[in-house]
Each structure stands twice: as structure tokens, then as C-alpha cells.
mmCIF file of all heavy atoms in Angstrom:
data_model
loop_
_atom_site.group_PDB
_atom_site.id
_atom_site.type_symbol
_atom_site.label_atom_id
_atom_site.label_comp_id
_atom_site.label_asym_id
_atom_site.label_seq_id
_atom_site.Cartn_x
_atom_site.Cartn_y
_atom_site.Cartn_z
ATOM 1 N N ALA X 1458 -98.509 85.205 -92.684
ATOM 2 C CA ALA X 1458 -99.809 85.933 -92.565
ATOM 3 C C ALA X 1458 -99.939 86.925 -93.750
ATOM 4 O O ALA X 1458 -98.926 87.459 -94.169
ATOM 5 C CB ALA X 1458 -99.868 86.660 -91.223
ATOM 6 N N THR X 1459 -101.161 87.056 -94.215
ATOM 7 C CA THR X 1459 -101.503 88.089 -95.169
ATOM 8 C C THR X 1459 -102.669 88.954 -94.710
ATOM 9 O O THR X 1459 -103.324 88.478 -93.793
ATOM 10 C CB THR X 1459 -101.849 87.494 -96.638
ATOM 11 O OG1 THR X 1459 -102.988 86.566 -96.341
ATOM 12 C CG2 THR X 1459 -100.736 86.694 -97.137
ATOM 13 N N ASP X 1460 -102.845 90.070 -95.227
ATOM 14 C CA ASP X 1460 -103.920 90.999 -94.920
ATOM 15 C C ASP X 1460 -104.596 91.486 -96.115
ATOM 16 O O ASP X 1460 -103.885 91.916 -97.117
ATOM 17 C CB ASP X 1460 -103.363 92.105 -94.042
ATOM 18 C CG ASP X 1460 -104.460 93.065 -93.519
ATOM 19 O OD1 ASP X 1460 -105.174 92.692 -92.577
ATOM 20 O OD2 ASP X 1460 -104.585 94.125 -94.131
ATOM 21 N N PRO X 1461 -105.935 91.592 -96.181
ATOM 22 C CA PRO X 1461 -106.609 92.042 -97.366
ATOM 23 C C PRO X 1461 -106.166 93.459 -97.815
ATOM 24 O O PRO X 1461 -106.142 93.805 -99.006
ATOM 25 C CB PRO X 1461 -108.049 92.036 -97.037
ATOM 26 C CG PRO X 1461 -108.154 91.032 -95.914
ATOM 27 C CD PRO X 1461 -106.820 91.135 -95.144
ATOM 28 N N GLU X 1462 -105.859 94.342 -96.866
ATOM 29 C CA GLU X 1462 -105.363 95.718 -97.160
ATOM 30 C C GLU X 1462 -103.845 95.806 -97.290
ATOM 31 O O GLU X 1462 -103.298 96.534 -98.191
ATOM 32 C CB GLU X 1462 -105.928 96.691 -96.127
ATOM 33 C CG GLU X 1462 -107.356 96.933 -96.118
ATOM 34 C CD GLU X 1462 -108.102 95.807 -95.322
ATOM 35 O OE1 GLU X 1462 -107.424 95.125 -94.478
ATOM 36 O OE2 GLU X 1462 -109.325 95.671 -95.511
ATOM 37 N N ASP X 1463 -103.178 95.116 -96.425
ATOM 38 C CA ASP X 1463 -101.667 95.329 -96.375
ATOM 39 C C ASP X 1463 -100.878 94.330 -97.149
ATOM 40 O O ASP X 1463 -99.656 94.472 -97.406
ATOM 41 C CB ASP X 1463 -101.211 95.212 -94.877
ATOM 42 C CG ASP X 1463 -101.811 96.323 -93.997
ATOM 43 O OD1 ASP X 1463 -102.239 97.333 -94.550
ATOM 44 O OD2 ASP X 1463 -101.796 96.130 -92.781
ATOM 45 N N GLY X 1464 -101.484 93.239 -97.572
ATOM 46 C CA GLY X 1464 -100.764 92.238 -98.322
ATOM 47 C C GLY X 1464 -99.978 91.305 -97.357
ATOM 48 O O GLY X 1464 -100.424 91.054 -96.208
ATOM 49 N N VAL X 1465 -98.738 90.838 -97.725
ATOM 50 C CA VAL X 1465 -98.064 89.958 -96.885
ATOM 51 C C VAL X 1465 -97.479 90.814 -95.691
ATOM 52 O O VAL X 1465 -96.874 91.886 -95.899
ATOM 53 C CB VAL X 1465 -96.753 89.322 -97.682
ATOM 54 C CG1 VAL X 1465 -95.929 88.540 -96.730
ATOM 55 C CG2 VAL X 1465 -97.372 88.496 -98.806
ATOM 56 N N LEU X 1466 -97.768 90.313 -94.508
ATOM 57 C CA LEU X 1466 -97.399 91.047 -93.304
ATOM 58 C C LEU X 1466 -95.980 90.741 -92.853
ATOM 59 O O LEU X 1466 -95.462 89.593 -92.918
ATOM 60 C CB LEU X 1466 -98.307 90.784 -92.116
ATOM 61 C CG LEU X 1466 -99.789 91.263 -92.366
ATOM 62 C CD1 LEU X 1466 -100.644 90.794 -91.229
ATOM 63 C CD2 LEU X 1466 -99.797 92.727 -92.532
ATOM 64 N N PRO X 1467 -95.222 91.783 -92.416
ATOM 65 C CA PRO X 1467 -93.818 91.565 -92.003
ATOM 66 C C PRO X 1467 -93.749 90.919 -90.626
ATOM 67 O O PRO X 1467 -94.695 90.745 -89.866
ATOM 68 C CB PRO X 1467 -93.271 93.054 -91.876
ATOM 69 C CG PRO X 1467 -94.446 93.812 -91.556
ATOM 70 C CD PRO X 1467 -95.625 93.137 -92.265
ATOM 71 N N ALA X 1468 -92.546 90.490 -90.209
ATOM 72 C CA ALA X 1468 -92.307 89.877 -88.944
ATOM 73 C C ALA X 1468 -92.726 90.774 -87.778
ATOM 74 O O ALA X 1468 -93.160 90.243 -86.700
ATOM 75 C CB ALA X 1468 -90.811 89.452 -88.807
ATOM 76 N N SER X 1469 -92.657 92.031 -87.971
ATOM 77 C CA SER X 1469 -92.992 93.014 -86.894
ATOM 78 C C SER X 1469 -94.477 92.833 -86.458
ATOM 79 O O SER X 1469 -94.827 93.271 -85.391
ATOM 80 C CB SER X 1469 -92.671 94.410 -87.264
ATOM 81 O OG SER X 1469 -93.363 94.785 -88.482
ATOM 82 N N ALA X 1470 -95.230 92.241 -87.316
ATOM 83 C CA ALA X 1470 -96.704 92.087 -87.090
ATOM 84 C C ALA X 1470 -97.002 90.860 -86.180
ATOM 85 O O ALA X 1470 -98.090 90.632 -85.749
ATOM 86 C CB ALA X 1470 -97.512 92.022 -88.375
ATOM 87 N N PHE X 1471 -95.959 90.012 -85.916
ATOM 88 C CA PHE X 1471 -96.181 88.628 -85.336
ATOM 89 C C PHE X 1471 -95.874 88.726 -83.806
ATOM 90 O O PHE X 1471 -95.003 89.373 -83.321
ATOM 91 C CB PHE X 1471 -95.301 87.655 -85.959
ATOM 92 C CG PHE X 1471 -95.704 87.197 -87.328
ATOM 93 C CD1 PHE X 1471 -95.713 88.121 -88.408
ATOM 94 C CD2 PHE X 1471 -96.019 85.937 -87.575
ATOM 95 C CE1 PHE X 1471 -96.057 87.699 -89.641
ATOM 96 C CE2 PHE X 1471 -96.406 85.498 -88.867
ATOM 97 C CZ PHE X 1471 -96.466 86.390 -89.849
ATOM 98 N N GLU X 1472 -96.675 87.908 -83.096
ATOM 99 C CA GLU X 1472 -96.476 87.663 -81.621
ATOM 100 C C GLU X 1472 -96.861 86.215 -81.343
ATOM 101 O O GLU X 1472 -97.899 85.816 -81.676
ATOM 102 C CB GLU X 1472 -97.197 88.628 -80.742
ATOM 103 C CG GLU X 1472 -96.999 88.331 -79.246
ATOM 104 C CD GLU X 1472 -97.828 89.274 -78.357
ATOM 105 O OE1 GLU X 1472 -97.944 90.482 -78.752
ATOM 106 O OE2 GLU X 1472 -98.228 88.818 -77.282
ATOM 107 N N TRP X 1473 -95.875 85.458 -80.719
ATOM 108 C CA TRP X 1473 -96.157 84.068 -80.339
ATOM 109 C C TRP X 1473 -96.255 83.999 -78.793
ATOM 110 O O TRP X 1473 -95.530 84.628 -78.076
ATOM 111 C CB TRP X 1473 -95.000 83.204 -80.780
ATOM 112 C CG TRP X 1473 -94.814 83.126 -82.277
ATOM 113 C CD1 TRP X 1473 -94.070 84.011 -83.018
ATOM 114 C CD2 TRP X 1473 -95.378 82.174 -83.196
ATOM 115 N NE1 TRP X 1473 -94.055 83.651 -84.328
ATOM 116 C CE2 TRP X 1473 -94.856 82.513 -84.484
ATOM 117 C CE3 TRP X 1473 -96.216 81.083 -83.025
ATOM 118 C CZ2 TRP X 1473 -95.128 81.785 -85.604
ATOM 119 C CZ3 TRP X 1473 -96.497 80.321 -84.169
ATOM 120 C CH2 TRP X 1473 -96.018 80.714 -85.443
ATOM 121 N N ASN X 1474 -97.127 83.089 -78.366
ATOM 122 C CA ASN X 1474 -97.204 82.798 -76.880
ATOM 123 C C ASN X 1474 -97.515 81.256 -76.789
ATOM 124 O O ASN X 1474 -98.243 80.699 -77.549
ATOM 125 C CB ASN X 1474 -98.264 83.575 -76.139
ATOM 126 C CG ASN X 1474 -97.895 85.004 -75.904
ATOM 127 O OD1 ASN X 1474 -97.253 85.226 -74.961
ATOM 128 N ND2 ASN X 1474 -98.326 85.862 -76.807
ATOM 129 N N ILE X 1475 -96.912 80.668 -75.754
ATOM 130 C CA ILE X 1475 -97.150 79.234 -75.473
ATOM 131 C C ILE X 1475 -97.791 79.124 -74.126
ATOM 132 O O ILE X 1475 -97.253 79.618 -73.167
ATOM 133 C CB ILE X 1475 -95.888 78.438 -75.494
ATOM 134 C CG1 ILE X 1475 -95.128 78.637 -76.915
ATOM 135 C CG2 ILE X 1475 -96.130 76.980 -75.244
ATOM 136 C CD1 ILE X 1475 -93.765 77.966 -76.981
ATOM 137 N N VAL X 1476 -98.935 78.476 -74.020
ATOM 138 C CA VAL X 1476 -99.621 78.249 -72.791
ATOM 139 C C VAL X 1476 -99.779 76.804 -72.530
ATOM 140 O O VAL X 1476 -100.152 75.996 -73.417
ATOM 141 C CB VAL X 1476 -101.124 78.938 -72.894
ATOM 142 C CG1 VAL X 1476 -101.796 78.664 -71.577
ATOM 143 C CG2 VAL X 1476 -100.881 80.397 -73.121
ATOM 144 N N LEU X 1477 -99.439 76.402 -71.264
ATOM 145 C CA LEU X 1477 -99.586 75.002 -70.822
ATOM 146 C C LEU X 1477 -101.003 74.883 -70.222
ATOM 147 O O LEU X 1477 -101.388 75.588 -69.257
ATOM 148 C CB LEU X 1477 -98.505 74.729 -69.784
ATOM 149 C CG LEU X 1477 -98.700 73.296 -69.133
ATOM 150 C CD1 LEU X 1477 -98.476 72.214 -70.099
ATOM 151 C CD2 LEU X 1477 -97.721 73.171 -67.929
ATOM 152 N N HIS X 1478 -101.766 73.965 -70.858
ATOM 153 C CA HIS X 1478 -103.092 73.574 -70.247
ATOM 154 C C HIS X 1478 -102.988 72.373 -69.415
ATOM 155 O O HIS X 1478 -102.503 71.330 -69.889
ATOM 156 C CB HIS X 1478 -104.072 73.352 -71.379
ATOM 157 C CG HIS X 1478 -104.458 74.683 -72.098
ATOM 158 N ND1 HIS X 1478 -105.830 75.094 -72.077
ATOM 159 C CD2 HIS X 1478 -103.764 75.481 -72.843
ATOM 160 C CE1 HIS X 1478 -105.876 76.223 -72.749
ATOM 161 N NE2 HIS X 1478 -104.670 76.472 -73.244
ATOM 162 N N HIS X 1479 -103.406 72.492 -68.148
ATOM 163 C CA HIS X 1479 -103.303 71.387 -67.220
ATOM 164 C C HIS X 1479 -104.699 71.175 -66.587
ATOM 165 O O HIS X 1479 -105.086 72.114 -65.881
ATOM 166 C CB HIS X 1479 -102.274 71.611 -66.159
ATOM 167 C CG HIS X 1479 -102.278 70.630 -65.027
ATOM 168 N ND1 HIS X 1479 -102.050 70.875 -63.661
ATOM 169 C CD2 HIS X 1479 -102.485 69.295 -65.089
ATOM 170 C CE1 HIS X 1479 -102.113 69.884 -63.029
ATOM 171 N NE2 HIS X 1479 -102.443 68.845 -63.807
ATOM 172 N N ASN X 1480 -105.280 70.066 -66.891
ATOM 173 C CA ASN X 1480 -106.597 69.759 -66.260
ATOM 174 C C ASN X 1480 -107.525 70.851 -66.707
ATOM 175 O O ASN X 1480 -107.749 71.027 -67.972
ATOM 176 C CB ASN X 1480 -106.499 69.679 -64.777
ATOM 177 C CG ASN X 1480 -107.660 68.847 -64.208
ATOM 178 O OD1 ASN X 1480 -108.765 69.421 -64.233
ATOM 179 N ND2 ASN X 1480 -107.458 67.707 -63.734
ATOM 180 N N VAL X 1481 -108.087 71.672 -65.787
ATOM 181 C CA VAL X 1481 -109.028 72.661 -66.221
ATOM 182 C C VAL X 1481 -108.438 74.063 -66.061
ATOM 183 O O VAL X 1481 -109.160 75.070 -66.184
ATOM 184 C CB VAL X 1481 -110.374 72.599 -65.384
ATOM 185 C CG1 VAL X 1481 -111.042 71.261 -65.690
ATOM 186 C CG2 VAL X 1481 -110.044 72.733 -63.879
ATOM 187 N N HIS X 1482 -107.177 74.191 -65.877
ATOM 188 C CA HIS X 1482 -106.574 75.534 -65.772
ATOM 189 C C HIS X 1482 -105.364 75.663 -66.649
ATOM 190 O O HIS X 1482 -104.959 74.647 -67.322
ATOM 191 C CB HIS X 1482 -106.215 75.834 -64.269
ATOM 192 C CG HIS X 1482 -105.193 74.865 -63.690
ATOM 193 N ND1 HIS X 1482 -105.638 73.689 -63.112
ATOM 194 C CD2 HIS X 1482 -103.910 74.870 -63.621
ATOM 195 C CE1 HIS X 1482 -104.548 73.017 -62.691
ATOM 196 N NE2 HIS X 1482 -103.474 73.742 -62.983
ATOM 197 N N THR X 1483 -104.809 76.865 -66.716
ATOM 198 C CA THR X 1483 -103.663 77.106 -67.612
ATOM 199 C C THR X 1483 -102.523 77.731 -66.898
ATOM 200 O O THR X 1483 -102.704 78.387 -65.806
ATOM 201 C CB THR X 1483 -104.041 77.962 -68.770
ATOM 202 O OG1 THR X 1483 -104.486 79.247 -68.264
ATOM 203 C CG2 THR X 1483 -105.243 77.382 -69.542
ATOM 204 N N HIS X 1484 -101.289 77.660 -67.499
ATOM 205 C CA HIS X 1484 -100.160 78.321 -66.998
ATOM 206 C C HIS X 1484 -99.400 78.964 -68.124
ATOM 207 O O HIS X 1484 -99.183 78.270 -69.149
ATOM 208 C CB HIS X 1484 -99.118 77.339 -66.273
ATOM 209 C CG HIS X 1484 -99.758 76.413 -65.282
ATOM 210 N ND1 HIS X 1484 -99.798 76.752 -63.975
ATOM 211 C CD2 HIS X 1484 -100.333 75.213 -65.343
ATOM 212 C CE1 HIS X 1484 -100.374 75.781 -63.282
ATOM 213 N NE2 HIS X 1484 -100.659 74.846 -64.086
ATOM 214 N N PRO X 1485 -98.992 80.179 -68.048
ATOM 215 C CA PRO X 1485 -98.137 80.772 -69.118
ATOM 216 C C PRO X 1485 -96.842 79.978 -69.198
ATOM 217 O O PRO X 1485 -96.223 79.760 -68.159
ATOM 218 C CB PRO X 1485 -97.957 82.169 -68.672
ATOM 219 C CG PRO X 1485 -99.053 82.478 -67.672
ATOM 220 C CD PRO X 1485 -99.364 81.173 -67.034
ATOM 221 N N GLU X 1486 -96.455 79.465 -70.333
ATOM 222 C CA GLU X 1486 -95.295 78.635 -70.447
ATOM 223 C C GLU X 1486 -94.111 79.388 -71.044
ATOM 224 O O GLU X 1486 -93.020 79.403 -70.500
ATOM 225 C CB GLU X 1486 -95.573 77.437 -71.316
ATOM 226 C CG GLU X 1486 -94.436 76.455 -71.514
ATOM 227 C CD GLU X 1486 -94.016 75.760 -70.220
ATOM 228 O OE1 GLU X 1486 -94.866 75.692 -69.345
ATOM 229 O OE2 GLU X 1486 -92.922 75.168 -70.179
ATOM 230 N N ALA X 1487 -94.323 80.101 -72.184
ATOM 231 C CA ALA X 1487 -93.219 80.770 -72.777
ATOM 232 C C ALA X 1487 -93.733 81.898 -73.653
ATOM 233 O O ALA X 1487 -94.884 81.842 -74.115
ATOM 234 C CB ALA X 1487 -92.339 79.874 -73.634
ATOM 235 N N GLY X 1488 -92.924 82.920 -73.893
ATOM 236 C CA GLY X 1488 -93.328 84.081 -74.691
ATOM 237 C C GLY X 1488 -93.601 85.249 -73.792
ATOM 238 O O GLY X 1488 -93.477 85.207 -72.578
ATOM 239 N N PRO X 1489 -94.018 86.400 -74.411
ATOM 240 C CA PRO X 1489 -94.248 86.505 -75.845
ATOM 241 C C PRO X 1489 -92.890 86.554 -76.646
ATOM 242 O O PRO X 1489 -91.896 87.088 -76.192
ATOM 243 C CB PRO X 1489 -94.987 87.817 -75.963
ATOM 244 C CG PRO X 1489 -94.469 88.592 -74.822
ATOM 245 C CD PRO X 1489 -94.294 87.656 -73.633
ATOM 246 N N PHE X 1490 -92.962 85.948 -77.854
ATOM 247 C CA PHE X 1490 -91.883 86.098 -78.884
ATOM 248 C C PHE X 1490 -92.435 87.118 -79.888
ATOM 249 O O PHE X 1490 -93.279 86.805 -80.664
ATOM 250 C CB PHE X 1490 -91.536 84.754 -79.467
ATOM 251 C CG PHE X 1490 -91.205 83.672 -78.521
ATOM 252 C CD1 PHE X 1490 -91.996 82.530 -78.410
ATOM 253 C CD2 PHE X 1490 -90.094 83.730 -77.764
ATOM 254 C CE1 PHE X 1490 -91.726 81.531 -77.574
ATOM 255 C CE2 PHE X 1490 -89.771 82.755 -76.843
ATOM 256 C CZ PHE X 1490 -90.638 81.663 -76.747
ATOM 257 N N ILE X 1491 -91.899 88.356 -79.823
ATOM 258 C CA ILE X 1491 -92.472 89.454 -80.581
ATOM 259 C C ILE X 1491 -91.555 89.800 -81.729
ATOM 260 O O ILE X 1491 -90.360 89.804 -81.602
ATOM 261 C CB ILE X 1491 -92.721 90.693 -79.689
ATOM 262 C CG1 ILE X 1491 -93.649 90.335 -78.524
ATOM 263 C CG2 ILE X 1491 -93.194 91.946 -80.464
ATOM 264 C CD1 ILE X 1491 -93.822 91.452 -77.487
ATOM 265 N N GLY X 1492 -92.186 90.080 -82.916
ATOM 266 C CA GLY X 1492 -91.432 90.555 -84.080
ATOM 267 C C GLY X 1492 -90.739 89.507 -84.797
ATOM 268 O O GLY X 1492 -89.730 89.788 -85.487
ATOM 269 N N VAL X 1493 -91.132 88.178 -84.666
ATOM 270 C CA VAL X 1493 -90.460 87.140 -85.383
ATOM 271 C C VAL X 1493 -91.505 86.242 -86.033
ATOM 272 O O VAL X 1493 -92.591 86.031 -85.477
ATOM 273 C CB VAL X 1493 -89.539 86.290 -84.421
ATOM 274 C CG1 VAL X 1493 -88.369 87.134 -83.974
ATOM 275 C CG2 VAL X 1493 -90.306 85.757 -83.255
#
């Protein structure tokens, strides 16, 4: 990731989440993975 003001963003700016979509609803699957 880059930012117009900050430039290249560090790992601390990142958060990942995985969501399982089933039919018309969702389930949280994994995460958050923060700072990586």
C-alpha cells in the first residue's frame, strides 16, 4: 500500500480479515490479522 501523503505504508497500517460467504449470508472465518 502507498499513500499520497505518507508514501509507502508500513505493516502497522495493515489489517486482514477473511469472511466466508454462504448463499445469501456471511460468516467471519479468520482474522483480524493486524500489523502484517
